Amino acid sequence: MWRRVASLSPLVSSSKSRILNQVGCGLNACQVFTTRVLNPAEGGVSDRRRNPFVTFVLGGPGSGKGTQCTKIVETFGLTHLSAGDLLRKEISSNSENGSMILNTIKEGKIVPSEVTVKLIKKAIETSENDRFLIDGFPRSEENRIAYERVIGAEPDIVLFFDCPEQEMVKRVLNRNQGRIDDNIDTVKERLKVFAELNLPVIKHYSKKGKLYKIDGTGSEDEIFERVRPVFAALR
Ligand SMILES: Nc1ncnc2c1ncn2[C@@H]1O[C@H](COP(=O)(O)OP(=O)(O)O)[C@@H](O)[C@H]1O
Ligand SMILES: O=c1ccn([C@@H]2O[C@H](COP(=O)(O)OP(=O)(O)O)[C@@H](O)[C@H]2O)c(=O)[nH]1
Ligand SMILES: [Mg+2]
C-alpha cells in the first residue's frame, strides 16, 4: 500500500491561463494529504477493495489527462479508469442508458452522477489493483458528493492539468479518434461546463490541500516530468 501522508517539494510551474487565475490555487511548497475516512453507513467499496489509493485526474477537454494517465500507468503501475471511456463502453454495449449517455456527450453536458459513480465503483471492485487513476471525474460538485457518499471516501490526491483554452481546442480538434464530441460546437460547450461546474471541484480539493496543479503546456514528456515527482514521493 502506498503512503498516504507525504511531504513534497514544489511540483508545479505556473502558466498564465485564465483558468489558473480563476482557480487561484496556490502552488504550495509543501502539500500534505491525509488518510481518508471511510463511511460505514454507505458501505463503501466491497471489502476486498475497501481502501484503494485513488487519484482524480482533472483538466479541461484536451488538457492531456488521458495521455498523462498512460505514462503514469507505465511508470508507476496504477490502474487507469477513464470515466469517459466507461461511459462510451455503455453506449457501445447497448445498455439501457446508452442513448441518454450518447446525447449527453454529444451536447457536452454531464451524465447523471448515479450512472457514472456506479460504473466507477464496479470498475474498482472488479480490479485486482488497489491504486487507481480516475480520469475525467468528478466533473461537478454533484459528481464529487455522490462519489464520496457511495464510495465512502475522498480521493487521496488530485491532479489538475492546467492548459490554455486555445491549446485545448487545438488538441481536441486534432484528436482524430472519431469521437462524436470532438467538434468546435461541442468543445465550446464543454469549456463552459468545465469553467462552471468542474472548476469548483478543483477549488474544493485545493482548499483541502490535495491538489497538484500541473502546467499542461509543452511536450508530453515535459509534462510527465512535472507529474513524476508526485508519484515518486509516494513509493
Ligand atoms: N503535450 C501535448 N502536446 C500536444 N498534443 C498533446 C499533448 N498531450 C496530449 N496531446 C494530444 O492532444 C489530444 C488530447 O489529449 P488527451 O490526452 O486525449 O486529453 P484529455 O484526456 O484531457 O481530453 C490527443 O490527440 C493527444 O495525443
Ligand atoms: O464523469 C464523467 C466523464 C465524462 N462525461 C461525459 O463524457 C464526455 C467525454 O469525457 P472524457 O473524459 O472522455 O473527455 P476528455 O476530457 O478526455 O476530452 C464529457 O464531455 C461528458 O459529456 C461525463 O458526463 N461524466
Ligand atoms: Mg480523455
Side-chain angles (χ1 to χ4, degrees):
M1 181 62 69
W2 277 7
R3 289 187 297 152
R4 286 214 153 81
V5 178
S7 196
L8 303 175
S9 33
L11 298 170
V12 196
S13 51
S14 64
S15 87
K16 291 194 173 63
S17 79
R18 188 169 65 79
I19 286 166
L20 183 149
N21 294 330
Q22 280 178 354
V23 173
C25 35
L27 306 178
N28 299 328
C30 181
Q31 295 247 358
V32 176
F33 45 93
T34 52
T35 306
R36 297 149 330 117
V37 178
L38 293 170
N39 175 2
E42 291 290 336
V45 294
S46 72
D47 283 348
R48 196 166 59 88
R49 298 278 169 254
R50 272 197 79 79
N51 203 19
F53 182 96
V54 170
T55 300
F56 284 161
V57 181
L58 302 179
S63 60
K65 301 180 294 295
T67 303
Q68 293 301 319
C69 281
T70 301
K71 290 178 174 290
I72 297 166
V73 168
E74 282 165 9
T75 307
F76 295 104
L78 288 83
T79 289
H80 178 199
L81 301 180
S82 157
D85 285 351
L86 292 172
L87 291 168
R88 284 183 284 272
K89 261 186 227 148
E90 283 293 284
I91 297 171
S92 46
S93 68
N94 291 320
S95 80
E96 54 169 334
N97 290 318
S99 60
M100 177 276 289
I101 294 171
L102 176 66
N103 289 330
T104 308
I105 289 179
K106 237 192 256 179
E107 289 170 11
K109 307 277 201 245
I110 298 173
V111 171
S113 299
E114 59 174 278
V115 173
T116 316
V117 170
K118 203 166 153 191
L119 293 172
I120 292 171
K121 182 170 190 269
K122 190 170 165 205
I124 290 174
E125 286 178 349
T126 54
S127 170
E128 288 301 311
N129 206 342
D130 62 358
R131 294 175 289 153
F132 298 93
L133 296 168
I134 301 186
D135 162 9
F137 177 93
R139 279 188 133 91
S140 66
E141 279 287 273
E142 197 222 325
N143 272 179
R144 177 185 71 73
I145 290 161
Y147 172 94
E148 291 180 357
R149 188 183 66 243
V150 172
I151 302 294
E154 294 181 8
D156 292 278
I157 60 172
V158 179
L159 301 186
F160 164 41
F161 290 101
D162 181 38
C163 194
E165 287 192 356
Q166 213 185 347
E167 175 67 15
M168 293 196 278
V169 171
K170 196 172 92 188
R171 290 183 192 171
V172 163
L173 296 182
N174 287 324
R175 182 150 44 189
N176 222 4
Q177 291 174 359
R179 275 176 51 169
I180 194 148
D181 51 347
D182 283 352
N183 61 74
I184 189 64
D185 290 338
T186 309
V187 80
K188 277 187 185 162
E189 179 60 25
R190 293 189 63 199
L191 288 170
K192 256 196 252 165
V193 168
F194 175 72
E196 280 168 26
L197 300 179
N198 210 337
L199 284 179
V201 176
I202 290 163
K203 274 188 190 160
H204 171 85
Y205 289 121
S206 174
K207 281 191 201 136
K208 296 206 118 191
K210 293 189 174 192
L211 191 78
Y212 293 91
K213 182 163 61 176
I214 312 284
D215 178 356
T217 62
S219 72
E220 295 176 13
D221 287 345
E222 282 166 348
I223 297 165
F224 184 63
E225 290 312 315
R226 300 173 192 139
V227 172
R228 187 193 296 277
V230 177
F231 294 96
L234 295 166
R235 289 221 265 213

